[in-house]
Structures are given as C-alpha cells and as structure tokens.
Amino acid sequence: MDNSSDNSRDSFSSRFAVIAAVAGSAIGLGNIWRFPYVAGENGGGAFLIIYLLFVFAIGIPVMTSEFVIGRAGQKNPYGSFRKLAPGQPWYLIGIMGVAAAFMILAFYTTVSGWTLEYFYQTLTGNLAGKNDSELTLMFDEFLQGSYRPVIWFLVFMGFTGFIILSGVKNGIERYTKMLMPILFVLLIALCIRSVTLEGSMAGLNFLFYPDFSKITPKVILEALGQAFFSLSIGMGTLITYGSYINKSENLGSSAMAVSIADTMIAVIAGVAIFPAVFALGGSPASGTGLVFIVLPGIFQKMPLGQVFQLIFFSLLSVAALTSTISVLEVIVAYLAEELKMTRRKATIAATLMVSVLGIVTVLSMGSLRNFTIAGKNIFGMLEFLTSNIMLPLGGLFIVIFIGWSFSPQRTKDELTNDGKLKAGYLPVYMFIVRFVAPVAIAMVFLYSLGILKL
Ligand code: TRP
C-alpha cells in the first residue's frame, strides 16, 4: 500500500468546515448568474421541475459517490482512480476532469471578472441613476472594450492562485463562514424588492408555472448540465475535496445538506430576478448578461440601493472565489501529486496555463466575438462542452464505477464510517448508482442527439 502521502495529507478541521468548503464550491455564479439565465432561455417553470428532478435523482448520488472515491482514494481524481482500480482505465475520468477544470476556469473566471468590474463601477458611482437601456449598453460596451475584462480576469485569477498557494483551510474557510450568510440575507432582500415591483407576478408565473409544451431535448440537456454545474460534480472537484474529509464525517448527509442549500440559493436567485425582468420590461432569454443588467436595475429602485449593490457584488465575487479555488485545486493537486511538483510550482504553472486559455475566452466576448463555431463563440463553446457534455459524462462513469466496479463493501464502509453510522438510504443509493442514474444520463444524451425519441 502506498501510504507515504497519507500521513501528511491536509484535511478539513470540522464538520462545519467540510460543509462550508463544499457549499463554497457549489454555491457561486452557477446559482446566481447561470441558473437564471439558463432557466430564462429554456422556458422557466418546466426547466425548473426537470432541474429539481435531476438534482435529487442524479446529483446527490453522484456527489456522494465522488466523496466515497475521494475519501477512499486519498488523492486527486486521477490518483484516486489509479489507487482504487489499479490497471484499469478508470483514471481516464480523472484526466477528463483535469481538462474540464481548465475549461471551466477559463469562462468562469471571465464572469468572475465581470463581478469585480461591477463592484468597481458601483464604488465609483457609475451605475447610479442609470435606466435599463443604459445598463444594457454599459454591459455591452464593457465587453467590447476588451482590455478591462482581461485585466479583471487576471486580477481574479491572481486571487484564486494566491489563496490556493496559501492553502485552502485557514484563509478561505474563515471568510466563507461569515460571508455566505450575508449573501443569503441580501438575496432575500432582493427577492422582496423584486416581487413588490408592479407587474412582478408574470415573473413568478414564468419561474413556477410549468408549461410542458416548452420541453425539448435541448431543455432537458440544459437542465442536466445546470444540475451538474451547480453542484460542482462530474469532474472530480468533490473527489478532491472528499480526499480532505476526515474519516469521522458523514458523507451522505453532507452531500444532502450541501445540495439542498445549493438548490435553495438558485431558486431564491430566480425569485429575485424573474419578477424584476418582467416588471422592468426585459426578456428572460437575454443570455449571459441577464444578472448584470437586471439586478443593477432593481438596485436603482431601492432605498440605499447603491450600498446594497456594493455589498452584493462584493459577496458575489467572494462566492465566485470559493468556487474557482475548488476548481483550481483539482489541477494543482494533480500536478503536485502525480508530477511531483511542489504546491507552489504547481499553483503557478496551473494559474499561468489557465490564464492563456482565459484571455482568449475573455476576448471571445469582445473583439473576437465574430469568431464562432456552430453558432457559439469560444466562451459559449467551453460552457456548453463542459456543463452539458463533460460533466454528465464524468458523472455517468463515476456512478458506473461505484455501482458496478468498486467493491460494494468498501462503499458501505465509507458511507457508514466502518459501521459506526447508520446509512438507511444505502439500498436506495445503490439502486440509483447502478440503474437509475446511468440509464437517465444515457437517455438524456441519446435524446438530445435525436437518437432516442419519446
Ligand atoms: N458549482 C459552482 C457554481 O455553481 C461552480 C463550480 C465549482 C463547478 N466547481 C465546479 C462547476 C466543478 C462544475 C464543476 O458556481
């Protein structure tokens, strides 16, 4: 057995720290920026129902499986699979995960940079008093300007690298515990303002009233992709975090708690945004700029709006940061453990490599926006490939691994902490990872490719 690295391995200090770190990874731009815009483009209520179904039927079991693999393997995703299944090709999932980490960081940090710009613009008073068409114009000009988004991208990448360099535990944990609750309260305040705007009912209807005629293969694939993206699953982020979870923690209940919190935040963000979209006369399907145009629109109509706006964008940046670090950690753990780099070298190398891809991605929203493949620019391409293809594919293989290849006894040992915990859900969980989840994911793929017709 290779135990050389296990003794010195970092781990989270408490149950609360585990939840905070995993929730920090899961809760981020995926909830507040991506969920509303993807739901808006895919029909609202019907999308929401399918999304919820995927979170509970597939997402939570996949998250649990990632924890099992990570805690049993005690390594990065690639290393964990090598250790748990020597001589078998499962480690390819780990390699796909590292590739996905690069791609996700490139576009995710781009959007994180936008949050810094909006923080800065609030600070300098440039958003105050702007009406909706001015806000739209401003967002567009910012993206076209190209060099500002690049600078903000690099600043954000720098923060991410810096935190990873100094270790996840002490710095970020302390701040997330404090800041995430404030973000939550602020979102609730936004909801209240949003639903009390005149004409807001149409927005609530849009979000909660399912119009099943809007369900298409694309909507289903997007809902699956969004569930994976929002829960941070399918590429080994939570295998990596799982490897830092103590043997005494309850993996199943942690996955459940984090997933419920993550889903609540997404729905609350939807309640903050859609009523305002309709009340202010916008379109729910206005794409990646939705949050950056609609929310400032609401803030202009609130007492002390500028103050709240400042707090909001700073907290959104923090929420994004606790997610970007979890993605960068995958690459760094891989480079450090497999290529035997020091953590410092690995962090610098990973940050620089991501930055190259990231700059191209930033520019694809600006000066390179006319360069498209299949109607998508590079940003859209990376987003589509990772969320809708690579993450669900990773998840598919992860559940197949746990369901059909890994020893059921060892899975049980991980979920019960060697018999110390009751895990009454175990039969249900095993049934899902063996049958339900693999079949469902495969069906969504076949259906969206047009091979399967319902
Ligand atoms: N889940 C995060 C969010 O919703 C983003 C994220 C972090 C992520 N780590 C990930 C997405 C791993 C996919 C895979 O903002």
Side-chain angles (χ1 to χ4, degrees):
M1 281 288 276
D2 164 27
N3 280 326
S4 51
S5 59
D6 293 4
N7 300 331
S8 57
R9 197 172 177 78
D10 261 352
S11 67
F12 294 123
S13 42
S14 66
R15 174 174 164 80
F16 189 63
V18 172
I19 304 272
V22 180
S25 169
I27 298 169
L29 297 173
N31 308 62
I32 295 164
W33 159 71
R34 197 171 192 274
F35 172 78
Y37 108 71
V38 175
E41 285 182 338
N42 289 282
F47 174 91
L48 178 62
I49 291 195
I50 302 169
Y51 169 77
L52 292 177
L53 203 77
F54 285 154
V55 166
F56 286 93
I58 303 176
I60 298 176
V62 172
M63 187 185 284
T64 309
S65 305
E66 288 203 27
F67 286 160
V68 168
I69 294 166
R71 201 171 64 174
Q74 288 295 303
K75 277 207 160 46
N76 67 85
Y78 170 91
S80 291
F81 279 113
R82 286 226 94 137
K83 192 153 148 200
L84 299 181
Q88 294 173 24
W90 295 103
Y91 65 86
L92 291 172
I93 304 171
I95 294 187
M96 182 167 77
V98 174
F102 275 98
M103 297 163 72
I104 290 174
L105 275 173
F107 75 83
Y108 197 92
T109 312
T110 299
V111 182
S112 307
W114 303 350
T115 65
L116 293 182
E117 163 79 5
Y118 273 71
F119 175 75
Y120 173 80
Q121 292 294 356
T122 310
L123 206 61
T124 52
N126 283 341
L127 291 168
K130 285 215 162 47
N131 65 28
D132 302 309
S133 54
E134 287 168 331
L135 287 168
T136 311
L137 189 69
M138 194 179 141
F139 181 70
D140 230 46
E141 280 179 348
F142 164 60
L143 291 189
Q144 294 288 348
S146 289
Y147 95 95
R148 293 180 71 91
V150 170
I151 304 275
W152 288 127
F153 167 88
L154 291 173
V155 170
F156 206 93
M157 213 48 233
F159 282 143
T160 308
F162 180 76
I163 289 168
I164 289 295
L165 205 62
S166 40
V168 180
K169 267 208 270 185
N170 298 328
I172 204 70
E173 261 181 34
R174 207 170 38 226
Y175 292 108
T176 24
K177 282 182 212 168
M178 201 168 68
L179 294 173
M180 291 310 236
I182 308 180
L183 179 68
F184 186 78
V185 172
L186 216 72
L187 268 178
I188 301 278
L190 276 175
C191 284
I192 295 173
R193 173 68 272 209
S194 184
V195 297
T196 50
L197 289 167
E198 197 161 335
S200 62
M201 267 317 282
L204 289 177
N205 257 327
F206 177 79
L207 181 60
F208 292 115
Y209 181 76
D211 174 358
F212 290 107
S213 69
K214 287 192 178 144
I215 298 180
T216 63
K218 172 176 175 284
V219 169
I220 293 184
L221 184 67
E222 292 277 355
L224 184 70
Q226 175 59 22
F228 272 73
F229 188 85
S230 192
L231 297 173
S232 299
I233 54 178
M235 55 149 280
T237 296
L238 299 184
I239 293 180
T240 311
Y241 273 19
S243 75
Y244 305 137
I245 299 180
N246 272 322
K247 292 289 179 194
S248 58
E249 303 296 339
N250 186 333
L251 298 182
S253 73
S254 302
M256 181 67 93
V258 170
S259 302
I260 290 176
D262 183 72
T263 306
M264 271 172 53
I265 299 274
V267 174
I268 292 171
V271 174
I273 286 163
F274 289 115
V277 170
F278 281 84
L280 305 177
S283 155
S286 35
T288 49
L290 187 64
V291 166
F292 292 91
I293 295 164
V294 174
L295 289 186
I298 318 180
F299 283 121
Q300 308 312 312
K301 296 188 166 55
M302 282 168 82
L304 292 177
Q306 292 305 303
V307 177
F308 285 126
Q309 182 166 280
L310 196 66
I311 304 174
F312 178 80
F313 281 113
S314 62
L315 293 177
L316 192 55
S317 308
V318 173
L321 191 60
T322 56
S323 299
T324 52
I325 57 168
S326 74
V327 186
L328 189 62
E329 179 67 19
V330 175
I331 307 177
V332 170
Y334 171 78
L335 293 178
E337 290 167 5
E338 304 305 324
L339 305 185
K340 306 282 177 265
M341 289 187 184
T342 61
R343 195 172 165 87
R344 192 184 165 78
K345 267 213 188 103
T347 307
I348 294 171
T351 306
L352 290 178
M353 286 187 288
V354 170
S355 298
V356 174
L357 183 61
I359 289 174
V360 180
T361 310
V362 174
L363 294 178
S364 80
M365 297 300 268
S367 45
L368 300 179
R369 70 163 59 170
N370 293 325
F371 175 76
T372 57
I373 312 164
K376 286 183 164 42
N377 60 19
I378 294 165
F379 181 104
M381 203 70 188
L382 290 175
E383 201 190 347
F384 178 84
L385 276 179
T386 51
S387 321
N388 296 353
I389 310 293
M390 293 166 89
L391 300 182
L393 204 61
L396 175 65
F397 288 120
I398 285 167
V399 285
I400 293 178
F401 175 73
I402 290 289
W404 298 97
S405 169
F406 193 52
S407 133
Q409 185 56 45
R410 290 192 70 187
T411 300
K412 188 174 171 189
D413 289 345
E414 285 300 335
L415 292 178
T416 61
N417 294 348
D418 295 322
K420 288 192 231 17
L421 299 173
K422 277 205 204 70
Y425 60 85
L426 205 72
V428 181
Y429 167 77
M430 281 315 277
F431 182 73
I432 291 182
V433 293
R434 286 200 161 162
F435 303 106
V436 181
V439 170
I441 298 172
M443 275 175 64
V444 173
F445 275 137
L446 295 177
Y447 183 53
S448 58
L449 287 170
I451 297 171
L452 179 77
K453 297 213 159 45
L454 296 180

